[in-house]
Amino acid sequence: MDFLVQLFGQVQQWLFETVVQPLLFALGGGSILEDGYNATGWLLVGLLQIAVLVAVIGPLERWRPVQAIADRRAVRIDVIYTLIHQLGLFRIGMFFAFDPLWNDLWGALAVHGFAGWQLDQLVAPWWPGVTDTALAAFVLYLLVFDFVNYLLHRAQHQFEWWWALHAVHHSQRDMTMWTDRRNHLLDSVLTDIVIAQVGHLVGVPPGQFVAATAFALLVENFSHANLRLSFGLIGERLLVSPRFHRLHHAIGLGHESTAGKGTLGGCNFAVLFPVWDALFGTADFRSPVGPTGIRDQLPEEGGRDYGRGFWAQQRLGLLRMIGRG
């Protein structure tokens, strides 16, 4: 593990010194070199994730697909979403748009005596030799962020205006490993803001934050895969599987309450650990999986247009949010 961390750091340093740092100097960005170094880490994580998608999850999808791909153009649009996020373009936008605001906010709170908690330090004394290890801290932060993601996901399916944006994600009829990053940009902005502030609140170190985020994203890519795979009776309750999450995207089941058509709700909201769904009564471990998508996309249900291209999906999402789409 230590060897991998050191190797990652060496590659990050090389990429920063040979590519990012000269580019920042050329653009007059010498004052943000530290931020550029951190961004290089995110870029490297994104490149590694894309490599795993292409080299590992892609072949698995071709080996045991749930369904044949009917609309490859729609999948190519999902690839664009993935590249925007994994190559750091979205994160760069967030940095320039919001980071100065959050720095000022947390700076003001620190002046008044509040700088958040070091959560890993708070639990470290509980069980010496176990809770004070780097692995324990990593698992702790995974649980914290996953619980927050569960709550956010429930909210996306609860409030009409937020569902109007989140529906971009659910409108994919050919769900694949690329679908995970298919989100309305405003939807991503909202969730990323919350996660970033929670990270600051609980005092997660930058390295742990990157590691936890990278692990979560890989599991999400895998859980969205067009892959006929279950983790078994016990495994399904420990980690979100492609079968478990595909039920969340199933027409009706994934975006409606038990009251039926026209209502908001759903099942299987967890990102990593199904324990949250089990605890709050939103878990569905049934095996049959139907088509993915949203009910009102069906011709017999009105054939609502959610957009064929990237910009059409963004525009229609905003129109739905203000009640004009």
Side-chain angles (χ1 to χ4, degrees):
M1 184 67 176
D2 290 340
F3 168 75
L4 293 177
V5 171
Q6 292 175 5
L7 180 61
F8 182 90
Q10 291 171 358
V11 176
Q12 179 182 358
Q13 186 70 34
W14 174 83
L15 186 60
F16 174 72
E17 292 177 351
T18 57
V19 178
V20 178
Q21 183 173 259
L23 181 61
L24 286 176
F25 278 128
L27 296 174
S31 61
I32 57 171
L33 288 179
E34 183 178 351
D35 297 307
Y37 180 78
N38 293 332
T40 305
W42 286 109
L43 173 61
L44 183 55
V45 166
L47 292 172
L48 290 172
Q49 288 178 309
I50 291 173
V52 172
L53 284 172
V54 174
V56 179
I57 304 179
L60 289 174
E61 283 193 325
R62 293 189 291 273
W63 172 52
R64 295 195 67 190
V66 176
Q67 64 182 52
I69 300 299
D71 188 350
R72 295 200 173 274
R73 181 173 181 267
V75 175
R76 288 194 293 271
I77 299 300
D78 288 1
V79 174
I80 292 175
Y81 279 100
T82 301
L83 294 178
I84 288 173
H85 285 82
Q86 300 305 91
L87 297 183
L89 301 179
F90 178 78
R91 196 167 295 277
I92 289 173
M94 291 289 289
F95 170 78
F96 285 107
F98 296 106
D99 270 27
L101 173 63
W102 307 134
N103 290 337
D104 290 344
L105 171 64
W106 285 102
L109 290 173
V111 168
H112 290 83
F114 180 74
W117 300 283
Q118 297 299 122
L119 191 59
D120 58 339
Q121 297 302 312
L122 292 176
V123 303
W126 291 2
W127 189 355
V130 176
T131 57
D132 56 356
T133 64
L135 178 59
F138 176 69
V139 173
L140 174 65
Y141 289 124
L142 274 184
L143 288 169
V144 169
F145 287 125
D146 196 49
F147 179 57
V148 173
N149 272 317
Y150 172 83
L151 295 178
L152 288 172
H153 203 175
R154 288 288 300 272
Q156 289 168 321
H157 284 252
Q158 183 65 39
F159 300 105
E160 293 280 357
W161 67 270
W162 207 343
W163 167 250
L165 299 174
H166 189 58
V168 170
H169 181 68
H170 277 262
S171 63
Q172 177 58 278
R173 302 298 311 280
D174 289 296
M175 194 172 81
T176 70
M177 62 184 184
W178 303 104
T179 304
D180 168 51
R181 306 305 278 174
R182 174 197 174 104
N183 292 294
H184 196 282
L185 293 179
L186 181 54
D187 191 8
S188 293
V189 166
L190 295 173
T191 55
D192 275 35
I193 285 175
V194 173
I195 292 298
Q197 302 322 302
V198 169
H200 202 123
L201 182 66
V202 301
V204 56
Q208 289 277 25
F209 186 71
V210 172
T213 303
F215 178 79
L217 288 176
L218 272 179
V219 173
E220 288 182 79
N221 289 136
F222 188 69
S223 67
H224 284 83
N226 179 27
L227 176 61
R228 192 178 300 277
L229 179 66
S230 168
F231 291 165
L233 181 63
I234 297 177
E236 287 281 311
R237 287 152 177 80
L238 298 177
L239 188 68
V240 171
S241 71
R243 188 216 59 78
F244 183 84
H245 194 68
R246 198 169 189 87
L247 206 61
H248 173 72
H249 279 261
I251 293 177
L253 285 174
H255 59 87
E256 295 174 354
S257 73
T258 54
K261 290 194 295 185
T263 63
L264 288 181
C267 63
N268 299 3
F269 297 103
V271 172
L272 296 178
F273 306 120
V275 62
W276 311 122
D277 284 298
L279 284 174
F280 294 102
T282 55
D284 190 334
F285 292 102
R286 286 179 291 175
S287 293
V289 176
T292 62
I294 304 173
R295 188 186 297 278
D296 63 12
Q297 287 179 286
L298 303 176
E300 62 271 22
E301 298 288 346
R304 191 174 197 173
D305 180 20
Y306 284 86
R308 289 275 293 157
F310 177 88
W311 292 114
Q313 291 164 6
Q314 298 299 304
R315 177 177 60 83
L316 290 172
L318 290 175
L319 290 176
R320 286 192 303 274
M321 187 180 70
I322 62 176
R324 295 186 178 181

